[in-house]
Amino acid sequence: MTEHLPYDYEELAFDLYKAADDLLDNLVSMRKYRGMTQSQLADEMGVSQSYISQIENGQKQLVSLLTDYAQEVGARIKYEVEPAEKKPNGNH
């Protein structure tokens, strides 16, 4: 990009990739909070335990396309992970 942007492109990239990393950390913490093993989660999702391990170890970049998209359009993404029982009837 050669044009002047009203925000710091590199800072946005840092923020977006940190948000993606934090999302993964929070989801792994939630799995552990629920007392689930990777194998149990894999069974529930219909995937292999090794696939879950790859996700949790950052080998599968599941949100990278959205992160790249947001960076190029100059948008920030906020991910929120909370126990479902905090809002048992949804967001309303």
Side-chain angles (χ1 to χ4, degrees):
M1 274 192 187
T2 58
E3 66 185 80
H4 177 69
L5 297 173
Y7 56 88
D8 186 320
Y9 185 81
E10 290 179 9
E11 185 67 26
L12 176 62
F14 175 84
D15 289 348
L16 287 167
Y17 283 92
K18 181 170 183 337
D21 288 345
D22 290 348
L23 172 64
L24 180 57
D25 290 345
N26 290 334
L27 289 171
V28 171
S29 292
M30 185 62 67
R31 173 183 63 76
K32 292 176 180 179
Y33 172 77
R34 299 287 185 203
M36 295 179 80
T37 65
Q38 287 183 346
S39 294
Q40 290 168 325
L41 179 59
D43 287 345
E44 291 296 323
M45 292 178 61
V47 298
S48 68
Q49 181 275 328
S50 64
Y51 188 74
I52 297 297
S53 178
Q54 290 173 347
I55 292 170
E56 292 187 2
N57 290 317
Q59 295 169 322
K60 297 283 183 194
Q61 300 296 320
L62 299 180
V63 296
S64 63
L65 187 58
L66 289 176
T67 298
D68 291 346
Y69 188 106
Q71 183 177 354
E72 296 308 322
V73 300
R76 295 190 183 281
I77 298 174
K78 295 179 183 178
Y79 300 104
E80 186 175 336
V81 177
E82 63 183 14
E85 56 271 17
K86 283 187 82 175
K87 296 180 184 172
N89 297 319
N91 283 325
H92 42 94

PDB file of all heavy atoms in Angstrom, residues 34-45 49:
ATOM      1  N   ARG A  34     -13.841 -26.933  31.171  1.00  0.00           N
ATOM      2  CA  ARG A  34     -14.940 -27.889  31.063  1.00  0.00           C
ATOM      3  C   ARG A  34     -14.496 -29.315  31.385  1.00  0.00           C
ATOM      4  O   ARG A  34     -15.306 -30.241  31.405  1.00  0.00           O
ATOM      5  CB  ARG A  34     -15.545 -27.873  29.659  1.00  0.00           C
ATOM      6  CG  ARG A  34     -16.141 -26.558  29.243  1.00  0.00           C
ATOM      7  CD  ARG A  34     -17.426 -26.298  29.958  1.00  0.00           C
ATOM      8  NE  ARG A  34     -18.044 -25.077  29.451  1.00  0.00           N
ATOM      9  CZ  ARG A  34     -18.898 -24.358  30.127  1.00  0.00           C
ATOM     10  NH1 ARG A  34     -19.262 -24.732  31.339  1.00  0.00           N
ATOM     11  NH2 ARG A  34     -19.406 -23.265  29.632  1.00  0.00           N
ATOM     12  N   GLY A  35     -13.203 -29.507  31.609  1.00  0.00           N
ATOM     13  CA  GLY A  35     -12.686 -30.831  31.942  1.00  0.00           C
ATOM     14  C   GLY A  35     -12.642 -31.765  30.747  1.00  0.00           C
ATOM     15  O   GLY A  35     -12.654 -32.986  30.923  1.00  0.00           O
ATOM     16  N   MET A  36     -12.572 -31.188  29.553  1.00  0.00           N
ATOM     17  CA  MET A  36     -12.547 -32.006  28.335  1.00  0.00           C
ATOM     18  C   MET A  36     -11.114 -32.247  27.887  1.00  0.00           C
ATOM     19  O   MET A  36     -10.286 -31.340  27.914  1.00  0.00           O
ATOM     20  CB  MET A  36     -13.291 -31.303  27.192  1.00  0.00           C
ATOM     21  CG  MET A  36     -14.765 -31.106  27.418  1.00  0.00           C
ATOM     22  SD  MET A  36     -15.537 -30.238  26.021  1.00  0.00           S
ATOM     23  CE  MET A  36     -15.701 -31.617  24.880  1.00  0.00           C
ATOM     24  N   THR A  37     -10.867 -33.457  27.449  1.00  0.00           N
ATOM     25  CA  THR A  37      -9.584 -33.758  26.823  1.00  0.00           C
ATOM     26  C   THR A  37      -9.686 -33.413  25.337  1.00  0.00           C
ATOM     27  O   THR A  37     -10.783 -33.220  24.801  1.00  0.00           O
ATOM     28  CB  THR A  37      -9.226 -35.245  26.965  1.00  0.00           C
ATOM     29  OG1 THR A  37     -10.190 -36.014  26.224  1.00  0.00           O
ATOM     30  CG2 THR A  37      -9.205 -35.685  28.426  1.00  0.00           C
ATOM     31  N   GLN A  38      -8.548 -33.374  24.688  1.00  0.00           N
ATOM     32  CA  GLN A  38      -8.559 -33.175  23.234  1.00  0.00           C
ATOM     33  C   GLN A  38      -9.330 -34.296  22.546  1.00  0.00           C
ATOM     34  O   GLN A  38     -10.067 -34.049  21.588  1.00  0.00           O
ATOM     35  CB  GLN A  38      -7.128 -33.114  22.691  1.00  0.00           C
ATOM     36  CG  GLN A  38      -6.399 -31.853  23.004  1.00  0.00           C
ATOM     37  CD  GLN A  38      -5.017 -31.809  22.381  1.00  0.00           C
ATOM     38  OE1 GLN A  38      -4.487 -32.827  21.918  1.00  0.00           O
ATOM     39  NE2 GLN A  38      -4.410 -30.631  22.381  1.00  0.00           N
ATOM     40  N   SER A  39      -9.180 -35.512  23.039  1.00  0.00           N
ATOM     41  CA  SER A  39      -9.879 -36.659  22.441  1.00  0.00           C
ATOM     42  C   SER A  39     -11.388 -36.534  22.596  1.00  0.00           C
ATOM     43  O   SER A  39     -12.141 -36.823  21.653  1.00  0.00           O
ATOM     44  CB  SER A  39      -9.403 -37.967  23.071  1.00  0.00           C
ATOM     45  OG  SER A  39      -8.060 -38.209  22.747  1.00  0.00           O
ATOM     46  N   GLN A  40     -11.836 -36.096  23.764  1.00  0.00           N
ATOM     47  CA  GLN A  40     -13.276 -35.920  23.968  1.00  0.00           C
ATOM     48  C   GLN A  40     -13.830 -34.834  23.045  1.00  0.00           C
ATOM     49  O   GLN A  40     -14.894 -35.001  22.446  1.00  0.00           O
ATOM     50  CB  GLN A  40     -13.570 -35.560  25.432  1.00  0.00           C
ATOM     51  CG  GLN A  40     -13.343 -36.710  26.385  1.00  0.00           C
ATOM     52  CD  GLN A  40     -13.359 -36.265  27.839  1.00  0.00           C
ATOM     53  OE1 GLN A  40     -12.910 -35.166  28.187  1.00  0.00           O
ATOM     54  NE2 GLN A  40     -13.882 -37.134  28.699  1.00  0.00           N
ATOM     55  N   LEU A  41     -13.115 -33.743  22.937  1.00  0.00           N
ATOM     56  CA  LEU A  41     -13.545 -32.666  22.050  1.00  0.00           C
ATOM     57  C   LEU A  41     -13.573 -33.138  20.597  1.00  0.00           C
ATOM     58  O   LEU A  41     -14.531 -32.874  19.871  1.00  0.00           O
ATOM     59  CB  LEU A  41     -12.622 -31.457  22.195  1.00  0.00           C
ATOM     60  CG  LEU A  41     -12.935 -30.257  21.294  1.00  0.00           C
ATOM     61  CD1 LEU A  41     -14.345 -29.729  21.528  1.00  0.00           C
ATOM     62  CD2 LEU A  41     -11.895 -29.163  21.498  1.00  0.00           C
ATOM     63  N   ALA A  42     -12.548 -33.871  20.215  1.00  0.00           N
ATOM     64  CA  ALA A  42     -12.481 -34.401  18.849  1.00  0.00           C
ATOM     65  C   ALA A  42     -13.677 -35.304  18.562  1.00  0.00           C
ATOM     66  O   ALA A  42     -14.290 -35.207  17.495  1.00  0.00           O
ATOM     67  CB  ALA A  42     -11.170 -35.153  18.640  1.00  0.00           C
ATOM     68  N   ASP A  43     -14.021 -36.176  19.511  1.00  0.00           N
ATOM     69  CA  ASP A  43     -15.176 -37.056  19.335  1.00  0.00           C
ATOM     70  C   ASP A  43     -16.453 -36.242  19.147  1.00  0.00           C
ATOM     71  O   ASP A  43     -17.269 -36.548  18.270  1.00  0.00           O
ATOM     72  CB  ASP A  43     -15.339 -37.988  20.535  1.00  0.00           C
ATOM     73  CG  ASP A  43     -14.293 -39.083  20.586  1.00  0.00           C
ATOM     74  OD1 ASP A  43     -13.608 -39.321  19.563  1.00  0.00           O
ATOM     75  OD2 ASP A  43     -14.141 -39.704  21.660  1.00  0.00           O
ATOM     76  N   GLU A  44     -16.634 -35.198  19.953  1.00  0.00           N
ATOM     77  CA  GLU A  44     -17.829 -34.359  19.848  1.00  0.00           C
ATOM     78  C   GLU A  44     -17.889 -33.623  18.504  1.00  0.00           C
ATOM     79  O   GLU A  44     -18.966 -33.397  17.966  1.00  0.00           O
ATOM     80  CB  GLU A  44     -17.879 -33.343  20.999  1.00  0.00           C
ATOM     81  CG  GLU A  44     -18.125 -33.957  22.350  1.00  0.00           C
ATOM     82  CD  GLU A  44     -19.483 -34.636  22.469  1.00  0.00           C
ATOM     83  OE1 GLU A  44     -20.468 -34.120  21.901  1.00  0.00           O
ATOM     84  OE2 GLU A  44     -19.553 -35.687  23.120  1.00  0.00           O
ATOM     85  N   MET A  45     -16.736 -33.248  17.998  1.00  0.00           N
ATOM     86  CA  MET A  45     -16.679 -32.498  16.737  1.00  0.00           C
ATOM     87  C   MET A  45     -16.630 -33.401  15.507  1.00  0.00           C
ATOM     88  O   MET A  45     -16.769 -32.925  14.385  1.00  0.00           O
ATOM     89  CB  MET A  45     -15.459 -31.569  16.739  1.00  0.00           C
ATOM     90  CG  MET A  45     -15.560 -30.430  17.735  1.00  0.00           C
ATOM     91  SD  MET A  45     -14.076 -29.387  17.769  1.00  0.00           S
ATOM     92  CE  MET A  45     -14.040 -28.768  16.079  1.00  0.00           C
ATOM     93  N   GLN A  49      -8.202 -36.510  17.176  1.00  0.00           N
ATOM     94  CA  GLN A  49      -7.500 -35.833  18.261  1.00  0.00           C
ATOM     95  C   GLN A  49      -6.303 -35.076  17.719  1.00  0.00           C
ATOM     96  O   GLN A  49      -5.990 -33.976  18.175  1.00  0.00           O
ATOM     97  CB  GLN A  49      -7.083 -36.843  19.337  1.00  0.00           C
ATOM     98  CG  GLN A  49      -6.359 -36.229  20.533  1.00  0.00           C
ATOM     99  CD  GLN A  49      -4.859 -36.054  20.300  1.00  0.00           C
ATOM    100  OE1 GLN A  49      -4.234 -36.839  19.594  1.00  0.00           O
ATOM    101  NE2 GLN A  49      -4.285 -35.010  20.883  1.00  0.00           N
TER     102      GLN A  49
END
